[in-house]
Amino acid sequence: MPKISNKGSNMPESPIRKLVPYAEEAQKQGKNIYYLNIGQPDIKTPQVALDAIKHQNLETIAYSRSEGSESYRMKIADYYKRNAINVNHKDILVTTGGSEALLFAFGSIMDEGDEIIIPEPFYANYNGFSNASGVNVVPVISKIEDNFALPPIEEFEKLITPKTKAILICNPGNPTGYLYSKEEIKKLAAIVKKHDLFLIADEVYREFVYDGEEHYSILQEPGLEDYAIVIDSVSKRYSMCGARIGYLVSKNEAVIKTALKFAQARLSPPTLAQIASEAALDTPQSYFDDVKDEYVKRRNTLISGLEKIEGVKVAKPNGAFYCIAELPVKNSDDFAKWLLESFDYNNDTVMVAPAAGFYSTSGVGLNQIRIAYVLNEASLKMAVKILEEALKVYKD
Ligand SMILES: Cc1ncc(COP(=O)(O)O)c(C=O)c1O
């Protein structure tokens, strides 16, 4: 039989989706599952975006321009300006989700065997994108004890080799909910300039920032124009995960020019979804205020519930809608499977994402899980109760 590539064999499974067959089986058995494993918000998509799809009268759903429609890119630039980020539509390339923006960024700045430094735990698919691009992830560990703050800058410097091409951060972070301070961004800016590296910031959760804190984008940092690449997406901002629209933003012309060649090879981002995403830019501020209030309530309910469970440690997130919880178990992979296969509390159970897949260092995070607080408060309370009851009877 012809052989599968090493790249294909080495492609990691998504820790978020790999337990789906167990969940399907549990559902077949009639169990009710609280899904805390995936960042699929239950929030309604803004009405303006839904209306734009309903009322469009295209006769042909044609390709769009490879870089995305000009009217959409102009409106995205206005959105950034409203957020104190001074970019032009020429600095923006529309992609098929933030996922494709990450792939284009990796492809544009790194070759096989190059290295990228990423604070871990990190969004699990960075492992997959790195593998697909032949790039080696060099992790720098951030710890639950420090609330997942950026490790000291010397830790980054120790890891830089002639093969290092970039540092990648997620701000605010999935899976940690960590929000980088302006000072931390300034430290990273100094290091990438000193060592001539790119700084990629995945800012898809920019709007989800709590407790009166402010998000500081790498595109706001003076002097970083040639180094900064931002990954962005409509998926979470407007609860439009299925639209598959994102963008890559950089003031570095060569980066955009190169990414455009990748974009031309895949022809076009989705046309209909760009229409909906362009309309979404007219979403009233009240929508975001309501969504933010809702997430703050959910976060508080979840964190205070988890803190009360004996043996559970959790870092309080300042942004996004995830948290990492450390459990009194040896292997959270086994625990997560057991929750679906062998446990129920009044016929209910929960699905969580084992956190080891959010680390590239093997053996780290084995007793941690990632929880997405994308369910309403009542469901979250119930989910925490189920976890508490499960931990009482679980045997490693
Ligand atoms: C940190 C982060 N970056 C990028 C993505 C990719 O999102 P999309 O491709 O839907 O824009 C996600 C999705 O969950 C994410 O959490």
Side-chain angles (χ1 to χ4, degrees):
M1 206 175 9
K3 225 176 132 252
I4 291 299
S5 67
N6 290 335
K7 223 178 220 181
S9 304
N10 292 337
M11 204 54 197
E13 275 183 308
S14 162
I16 305 160
R17 293 173 182 257
K18 71 178 183 181
L19 298 181
V20 167
Y22 295 90
E24 280 171 354
E25 194 47 44
Q27 256 180 341
K28 271 193 212 144
Q29 289 165 17
K31 280 190 207 172
N32 171 45
I33 304 174
Y34 290 91
Y35 290 94
L36 304 177
N37 60 309
I38 191 162
Q40 165 65 68
D42 60 348
I43 305 283
K44 238 190 105 189
T45 302
Q47 198 57 42
V48 277
L50 298 173
D51 287 348
I53 300 177
K54 275 187 208 134
H55 301 147
Q56 63 77 26
N57 54 5
L58 289 179
E59 285 179 5
T60 305
I61 302 176
Y63 289 127
S64 80
R65 287 169 62 166
S66 297
E67 60 270 51
S69 87
E70 187 161 282
S71 65
Y72 182 35
R73 285 159 59 234
M74 303 265 245
K75 268 180 87 167
I76 298 170
D78 289 342
Y79 155 85
Y80 281 121
K81 290 198 178 98
R82 288 200 298 279
N83 284 278
I85 296 170
N86 187 20
V87 291
N88 188 284
H89 72 284
K90 296 203 172 95
D91 308 323
I92 300 165
L93 187 97
V94 179
T95 52
T96 307
S99 306
E100 193 181 59
L102 280 159
L103 269 175
F104 287 178
F106 281 27
S108 300
I109 63 170
M110 289 183 282
D111 289 307
E112 294 264 334
D114 282 344
E115 293 171 359
I116 184 163
I117 300 175
I118 317 181
E120 68 174 8
F122 53 73
Y123 174 51
N125 285 330
Y126 295 160
N127 274 330
F129 296 133
S130 301
N131 180 65
S133 310
V135 167
N136 297 322
V137 172
V138 178
V140 53
I141 297 188
S142 69
K143 299 203 181 97
I144 196 163
E145 292 78 28
D146 307 326
N147 223 11
F148 295 113
L150 192 71
I153 244 31
E154 306 80 69
E155 297 298 313
F156 284 82
E157 292 218 278
K158 275 188 220 156
L159 299 173
I160 294 174
T161 74
K163 289 191 179 265
T164 311
K165 288 289 159 62
I167 295 175
L168 167 59
I169 59 165
C170 183
N171 185 27
N174 172 10
T176 60
Y178 185 74
L179 178 72
Y180 288 90
S181 68
K182 193 170 177 174
E183 290 65 41
E184 286 175 318
I185 299 292
K186 286 194 177 293
K187 281 186 191 169
L188 286 171
I191 200 173
V192 294
K193 283 199 257 180
K194 180 171 163 197
H195 295 275
D196 222 7
L197 309 174
F198 284 101
L199 179 58
I200 309 177
D202 181 337
E203 299 186 356
V204 306
Y205 296 98
R206 181 182 307 112
E207 266 76 9
F208 303 90
V209 169
Y210 314 127
D211 308 325
E213 303 259 9
E214 273 197 27
H215 182 261
Y216 186 67
S217 170
I218 59 167
L219 292 170
Q220 286 171 292
E221 176 60 19
L224 212 54
E225 291 76 7
D226 288 340
Y227 304 86
I229 302 174
V230 159
I231 306 301
D232 215 335
S233 168
V234 307
S235 291
K236 319 288 162 154
R237 182 166 306 143
Y238 308 107
S239 212
M240 289 174 67
C241 295
R244 309 309 305 130
I245 292 287
Y247 16 104
L248 184 151
V249 192
S250 181
K251 303 283 284 179
N252 180 323
E253 267 178 52
V255 167
I256 293 291
K257 226 170 134 184
T258 310
L260 179 59
K261 291 191 274 180
F262 286 89
Q264 285 170 345
R266 64 77 165 107
L267 306 183
S268 153
T271 299
L272 255 182
Q274 283 183 81
I275 294 172
S277 303
E278 184 168 335
L281 284 161
D282 293 326
T283 304
Q285 184 54 38
S286 56
Y287 173 92
F288 299 105
D289 296 342
D290 291 348
V291 168
K292 210 152 123 169
D293 285 350
E294 178 62 27
Y295 276 117
V296 169
K297 280 193 228 150
R298 291 175 178 193
R299 179 201 59 175
N300 294 346
T301 301
L302 175 72
I303 300 296
S304 65
L306 289 172
E307 278 172 347
K308 283 185 199 122
I309 305 179
E310 209 187 313
V312 172
K313 199 189 286 174
V314 63
K316 192 173 178 188
N318 288 107
F321 35 72
Y322 307 95
C323 76
I324 292 276
E326 202 161 282
L327 306 181
V329 302
K330 285 201 187 78
N331 186 324
S332 63
D333 224 280
D334 292 343
F335 176 66
K337 270 186 218 147
W338 173 86
L339 280 172
L340 296 167
E341 271 189 319
S342 312
F343 180 76
D344 72 277
Y345 178 67
N346 299 332
N347 209 37
D348 290 343
T349 193
V350 291
M351 183 166 178
V352 294
F358 294 85
Y359 290 85
S360 69
T361 308
S362 69
V364 180
L366 288 177
N367 59 348
Q368 297 177 349
I369 54 169
R370 186 195 72 164
I371 294 178
Y373 44 99
V374 289
L375 304 180
N376 64 38
E377 272 188 283
S379 300
L380 283 173
K381 268 190 194 145
M382 198 54 221
V384 169
K385 175 78 186 151
I386 295 165
L387 268 180
E388 186 177 7
E389 293 300 322
L391 285 167
K392 280 183 197 162
V393 292
Y394 180 69
K395 304 250 178 318
D396 269 315

